Amino acid sequence: MRDPYSVLGVAKNASESDIKKAFRKLAKKYHPDQNKDDPGAQSRFAEVNQAYEIVGDKDKRAQFDRGEIDAEGKPKFQAHGFDGFSDFSEFGGGGGGARGFRGQSGGFSGAGGGAGSFDDILNDILGGFGGGGRRARGGGGASAGAAGGAGGPRGAAPQKGKNAEIVARVSLEELAVSAKTQVTLPSGKTVNVNIPAGTGEGEKIRLRGQGYPGEFGGPAGDAVVEIRLRPHKLFEVRGADLHLDLPVTLYEAVLGAKIRTPILTGAVNLSIPAGSSSGKVMRLKGKGLPTRGGGHGDLLVRIEIQLPARSDGEFETLMKAWRDITPYSARGPEFD
């Protein structure tokens, strides 16, 4: 390999800043992604990488200037009539610890103290090509720190994490009163989720960045919370309206009464008109679920007359007299 100073086009007394600038300029110029139609760019890119491995590292630069290592970072030993141990690196043993394993790409994994800054610079350049720090194609000379290697794909493109699909089972009271529910995120953390007004069964709330972590420095995915309504022992949901079947006695239906009627926020006294029949529906405005417009649906109360659970002689005598004295029809002509 040529003299690394010549490869980078800098003087031997160049500052670290000048060397770094020269490397950035040449690496960007010869990067394979910028020279897809130039097969020679790959070898020049590898040569630039190798040069910076030497003079971009303070310790290696000093060793090279003292003549202790050559332009490829190999020790310059003269012993027993042969020059150095240039092939030892291929067996993973390293030349006396001066350098790490040399991969087939021509790059280095485990180079000296300058490897971190080398990776930072190269990743910046790769990111400038729209690759987000992806590996150089063709395996031809990119540093192992940027093109993968034994330590993992440190220069791989950042990958966004997966979304976390979470089902939140929400009570009607939570939907109407607190407008919040608790969910557990993939991190194990439990958080309160605000439920927008008007949210209904099966709708989803997205929590940005609260999903599974990304890879290679990529952003986390989202947590997508699907709202499922818990069945209520009294109310049936139809849109923003609630429906309630209200049992009443025969005498309450005949004579009228005020009956304590549950709503989501407590209870109200509902006036049952005298002579109310089963099936009669009464509307309590604004006692339903919140709507997107800031209002509320209604509570529709359906009267259901309940007879005594056990037969009573006096009640039966009264009904027979009523039938004989004041008979009436409960069915219209359509039943004839």
Side-chain angles (χ1 to χ4, degrees):
M1 178 176 168
R2 293 189 296 146
D3 180 87
Y5 292 104
S6 299
V7 172
L8 296 177
V10 296
K12 289 192 174 183
N13 61 351
S15 66
E16 292 183 8
S17 176
D18 289 339
I19 292 174
K20 183 181 294 186
K21 289 178 182 178
F23 168 70
R24 291 177 64 95
K25 180 179 178 181
L26 293 172
K28 188 171 184 179
K29 178 179 179 181
Y30 293 123
H31 192 277
D33 282 358
Q34 292 288 85
N35 300 272
K36 296 178 182 179
D37 299 327
D38 182 4
Q42 184 169 292
S43 61
R44 290 194 291 272
F45 181 71
E47 186 178 41
V48 169
N49 286 345
Q50 178 61 53
Y52 189 71
E53 282 280 350
I54 302 299
V55 299
D57 181 282
K58 184 177 180 180
D59 294 335
K60 287 186 178 181
R61 182 181 181 184
Q63 287 180 309
F64 177 79
D65 291 344
R66 292 194 299 266
E68 297 174 2
I69 59 175
D70 62 15
E72 293 186 354
K74 298 176 182 177
K76 288 185 176 180
F77 294 127
Q78 296 292 333
H80 305 288
F82 61 92
D83 182 33
F85 299 88
S86 59
D87 292 333
F88 274 32
S89 61
E90 299 298 332
F91 295 93
R99 59 195 299 274
F101 177 76
R102 180 176 179 82
Q104 293 180 351
S105 67
F108 292 82
S109 63
S117 59
F118 176 89
D119 289 344
D120 292 341
I121 293 172
L122 191 55
N123 284 337
D124 286 344
I125 294 170
L126 295 175
F129 297 150
R134 56 198 169 95
R135 302 183 190 182
R137 287 197 291 267
S143 153
R154 295 191 327 197
Q159 299 291 325
K160 183 178 180 179
K162 293 182 179 180
N163 291 343
E165 303 290 339
I166 301 173
V167 174
R169 301 198 176 275
V170 180
S171 69
L172 297 184
E173 287 78 8
E174 288 175 322
L175 203 62
V177 181
S178 67
K180 292 182 180 180
T181 187
Q182 283 192 339
V183 299
T184 301
L185 301 174
S187 63
K189 181 180 179 181
T190 299
V191 298
N192 288 323
V193 177
N194 293 322
I195 305 175
T199 299
E201 174 77 18
E203 295 192 43
K204 296 180 179 181
I205 302 171
R206 184 177 294 271
L207 305 179
R208 301 284 182 185
Q210 298 299 318
Y212 293 101
E215 296 181 350
F216 314 127
D222 302 333
V224 181
V225 182
E226 181 178 350
I227 300 299
R228 297 278 182 86
L229 299 181
R230 291 177 182 165
H232 198 280
K233 62 183 180 180
L234 293 177
F235 302 113
E236 179 184 349
V237 179
R238 298 180 189 173
D241 293 337
L242 298 176
H243 289 248
L244 169 67
D245 289 337
L246 180 65
V248 299
T249 63
L250 179 60
Y251 51 84
E252 287 172 332
V254 172
L255 303 176
K258 284 187 177 294
I259 299 178
R260 187 177 186 275
T261 304
I263 60 176
L264 284 178
T265 55
V268 296
N269 287 321
L270 179 62
S271 295
I272 306 297
S276 294
S277 299
S278 267
K280 178 181 178 64
V281 176
M282 305 181 68
R283 183 181 296 268
L284 298 179
K285 289 187 175 293
K287 300 302 182 182
L289 296 174
T291 62
R292 298 186 192 279
H296 286 74
D298 300 332
L299 172 59
L300 288 87
V301 180
R302 181 176 180 273
I303 301 299
E304 283 194 344
I305 297 176
Q306 299 290 318
L307 296 179
R310 291 183 297 175
S311 177
D312 182 276
E314 292 184 4
F315 180 70
E316 290 182 358
T317 300
L318 175 61
M319 290 299 102
K320 289 177 181 178
W322 194 358
R323 179 190 62 189
D324 296 338
I325 298 172
T326 314
Y328 71 98
S329 176
R331 292 167 293 279
E334 63 274 16
F335 287 91
D336 294 339

